[in-house]
Amino acid sequence: MNDQSFNRARKIMLESQIRPNKVIDERVLSAFSEIPRELFVQKSMRDIAYIDEDLPLSNGRYLMEPMILARLIQSLELSVSDNVMIIGVGTGYSAAIISQIVASVIGIESRANLIQKAESNLTSLDITNAVLFKERLQDGYSKEAPYNAILIDGGVSFIPDNILNQLANDGRLVSIYRSKAETAGEASLWMRAARKFSRTCLFNAQVPTLEEFKLKQEFSF
């Protein structure tokens, strides 16, 4: 595919996948229309970069389905002055999208090859308000906390308290929650009010669970 074909595919993604699925925030729609999704997948998968499925990256990471990612970002109700952390930033697509909406983005990734690719992608797009760090996903990045919003870019079976505690008061966190492997996934919003946290199910969604956020199997003897 050439640039013109990718531009057409991006428009189709917006009009057939994202807009019809309750995404009405014009800032979110604009970001998805501007960022070239094909840059963030392997070259062999660029021709299918805009399909409505999760796309494998490497080392158990996936590029989340566009509609689900768009709805999660919209549910964060971002403001231009917000400081946002993305956990499991992969090749940088979600960071590129959110960077178009807010003041600063912190991206966390544990895989060196992915963070190198993400940094290259952001540089090629001249994105200067997103900074990436190689860290354990389950640790977040407390040095830049508190965050107005956190996106965990993948599925989770649990969220460590230390990540929730990196939210600012009235802060919001989104991810796809699946308590057990056999249960359905729920796009969920966690909100902080002082020292209390609440979770609200937004819609049903299926994305691969990040290895770092899977519950360890318990054995009984």
Side-chain angles (χ1 to χ4, degrees):
M1 292 175 67
N2 55 30
D3 288 346
Q4 186 175 2
S5 298
F6 283 127
N7 290 339
R8 188 182 307 115
R10 195 175 310 122
K11 183 176 181 180
I12 292 171
M13 174 192 72
L14 198 71
E15 299 302 330
S16 66
Q17 298 177 37
I18 296 178
R19 281 189 189 273
N21 282 285
K22 302 180 181 180
V23 180
I24 59 174
D25 188 323
E26 289 297 331
R27 302 167 306 159
V28 176
L29 293 168
S30 176
F32 274 85
S33 71
E34 292 294 329
I35 298 299
R37 185 174 169 89
E38 68 272 12
L39 291 184
F40 297 87
V41 298
Q42 300 171 25
K43 289 183 179 180
S44 62
M45 304 191 74
R46 287 185 174 178
D47 287 354
I48 60 170
Y50 291 95
I51 65 172
D52 55 346
E53 294 181 10
D54 305 309
L55 295 177
L57 299 172
S58 65
N59 300 108
R61 294 283 193 272
Y62 287 78
L63 197 64
M64 193 182 294
E65 179 183 338
M67 178 274 289
I68 294 176
L69 180 61
R71 291 188 68 179
L72 288 177
I73 293 173
Q74 178 174 257
S75 69
L76 288 172
E77 298 181 2
L78 298 171
S79 299
V80 67
S81 60
D82 281 349
N83 181 32
V84 179
M85 177 169 64
I86 301 172
I87 296 175
V89 75
T91 56
Y93 184 64
S94 55
I97 294 290
I98 292 176
S99 75
Q100 307 300 296
I101 304 171
V102 304
S104 64
V105 178
I106 300 295
I108 305 302
E109 180 52 66
S110 59
R111 272 68 164 175
N113 64 315
L114 290 179
I115 206 164
Q116 289 170 4
K117 178 61 175 174
E119 288 175 338
S120 176
N121 288 335
L122 297 180
T123 298
S124 71
L125 295 172
D126 197 28
I127 292 172
T128 58
N129 63 333
V131 181
L132 310 181
F133 296 96
K134 185 177 182 297
E135 300 285 343
R136 295 194 333 150
L137 301 193
Q138 57 268 47
D139 292 340
Y141 195 72
S142 60
K143 293 179 182 178
E144 296 292 334
Y147 300 97
N148 305 103
I150 297 174
L151 165 69
I152 301 181
D153 198 341
V156 300
S157 296
F158 70 99
I159 298 179
D161 289 343
N162 69 305
I163 288 180
L164 290 171
N165 286 327
Q166 291 176 42
L167 281 172
N169 192 30
D170 297 326
R172 304 160 75 88
L173 181 152
V174 290
S175 186
I176 307 300
Y177 176 68
R178 197 159 84 182
S179 59
K180 298 179 180 178
E182 63 273 15
T183 59
E186 298 178 341
S188 296
L189 170 69
W190 286 259
M191 296 188 65
R192 179 173 191 169
R195 296 183 179 180
K196 294 184 178 180
F197 300 92
S198 62
R199 182 180 74 89
T200 302
C201 176
L202 303 173
F203 56 93
N204 293 332
Q206 299 293 346
V207 303
T209 301
L210 294 166
E211 188 65 34
E212 293 87 344
F213 295 97
K214 289 181 179 178
L215 290 172
K216 303 303 180 185
Q217 187 173 2
E218 294 183 359
F219 296 92
S220 58
F221 298 92

